[in-house]
């Protein structure tokens, strides 16, 4: 946790500003939050609404992403951030925030575009936060629930990232500066199409992009949209990592995944297909 990032946070209980001293974050009302030895801080308020990613899921994601399979997404996201972020981000009145940012892979790539900015990653999983705290020198990791009030000050962010993660439109609007940008990455219907039936994965709805736009429309207006589509070549070691790192992990039974993977060719060509959308806050 970086002292430079603390000014963008607020207390999850009273919304007061916080300072960091002696390895803890404290607000003026006396609420205190210790910074873990791994470098993250837990600002979760009460019980989370959904299950957090387990240590095994986070490890699978870290290994899969480290192999570069999602590099096209990270590269496209960084380019879109560079093109759409307010010019002031270089001078940094606002930070770069990643909601549900996992291990920090995507935020770390985006931070390279903004060398003067602080990065704050929020994730409900402490196992993800541990890794994110080490993902980049300017990333501060916070355990928080994306569905709850976010522990960030009003207008804290110049850029907000949301990659395959939950989103609360009202809260995203609150934390974003008026000239800021929200960048959302969602899977397209043909994402992982070679594996959906073979491995019994969750399907992406045909109208996902339209539903997203509809849900955000009360708080944001779309300013850019692009698609990224490429082919990943995955061996039988990468396939269980891909399945095990996200929501599909909750829907697998025992050794059946191994049996299904064994029936696939090795290596296996798999479609990577996403939509990247940029939004401005309504004023």
């Amino acid at each position: 946790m970086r002292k430079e990032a603390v000014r963008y946070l607020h207390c999850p209980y009273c919304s007061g500003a916080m300072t960091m001293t002696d390895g803890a974050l404290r607000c003026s009302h006396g609420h205190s939050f210790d910074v873990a030895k791994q470098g993250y801080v837990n600002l979760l308020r009460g019980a989370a609404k959904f299950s957090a990613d387990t240590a095994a899921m986070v490890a699978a994601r870290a290994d899969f992403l480290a192999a570069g399979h999602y590099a096209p997404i990270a590269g496209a996201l960084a380019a879109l951030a560079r093109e759409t972020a307010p010019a002031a981000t270089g001078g940094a009145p606002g930070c770069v925030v990643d909601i549900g940012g996992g291990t920090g892979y995507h935020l770390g790539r985006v931070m390279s575009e903004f060398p003067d900015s602080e990065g704050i990653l929020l994730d409900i999983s402490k196992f993800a936060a541990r890794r994110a705290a080490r993902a980049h020198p300017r990333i501060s990791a916070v355990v928080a629930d994306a569905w709850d009030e976010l522990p960030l000050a009003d207008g804290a962010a110049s850029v907000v990232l949301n990659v395959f993660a939950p989103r609360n439109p009202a809260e995203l609007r609150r934390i974003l500066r008026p000239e800021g940008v929200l960048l959302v990455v969602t899977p397209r219907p043909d994402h992982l199409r070679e594996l959906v039936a073979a491995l019994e994965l969750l399907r992406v709805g045909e109208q996902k992009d339209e539903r997203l736009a509809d849900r955000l429309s009360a708080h944001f207006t779309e300013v850019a949209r692009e698609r990224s589509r490429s082919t990943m070549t995955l061996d039988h070691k990468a396939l269980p990592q891909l399945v095990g790192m996200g929501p599909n992990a909750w829907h697998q039974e025992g050794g059946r995944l191994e049996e299904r993977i064994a029936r696939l060719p090795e290596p296996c060509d798999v479609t990577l297909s996403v939509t990247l959308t940029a939004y401005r806050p309504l004023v």
Side-chain angles (χ1 to χ4, degrees), residues 56-238:
M57 292 171 69
V58 172
R61 181 178 303 136
D63 290 344
F64 186 84
L65 295 176
H69 301 303
Y70 274 13
I73 297 177
L77 182 63
L80 188 59
R82 182 178 63 248
E83 294 164 6
T84 59
T89 301
C95 59
V96 181
V97 175
D98 193 350
I99 306 294
T103 61
Y105 175 78
H106 297 290
L107 179 56
R109 176 64 183 82
V110 170
M111 291 304 294
S112 66
E113 303 293 334
F114 307 109
D116 299 320
S117 295
E118 292 296 315
I120 297 177
L121 181 144
L122 307 183
D123 200 280
I124 198 173
S125 170
K126 65 180 181 181
F127 303 109
R130 287 175 183 173
R131 291 182 181 262
R134 306 190 303 269
H136 188 279
R138 285 181 285 114
I139 288 180
S140 296
V142 178
V143 176
D145 186 354
W147 294 113
D148 198 359
E149 179 181 328
L150 301 175
L152 292 158
D154 294 357
S158 288
V159 180
V160 174
L161 311 179
N162 183 263
V163 183
F164 297 162
R167 63 198 69 87
N168 180 337
E171 275 297 283
L172 297 179
R173 174 64 188 89
R174 181 185 67 78
I175 69 169
L176 196 58
R177 296 176 65 84
E179 72 278 13
V181 62
L182 167 65
L183 304 178
V184 182
V185 180
T186 51
R188 294 190 51 74
D190 59 339
H191 183 57
L192 310 182
R193 63 184 179 87
E194 296 84 358
L195 304 179
V196 171
L199 303 184
E200 297 186 7
L201 305 184
L202 300 171
R203 295 180 181 273
V204 177
E206 292 289 339
Q207 303 301 316
K208 189 174 183 67
D209 289 344
E210 288 73 14
R211 290 197 302 272
L212 170 65
D214 202 48
R215 186 152 184 259
L216 293 175
S217 62
H219 301 278
F220 295 92
T221 182
E222 181 179 318
V223 293
R225 181 188 295 197
E226 61 185 57
R227 296 175 180 176
S228 175
R229 192 176 191 276
S230 57
T231 299
M232 302 180 287
T233 301
L234 306 179
D235 59 21
H236 283 193
K237 179 181 178 181

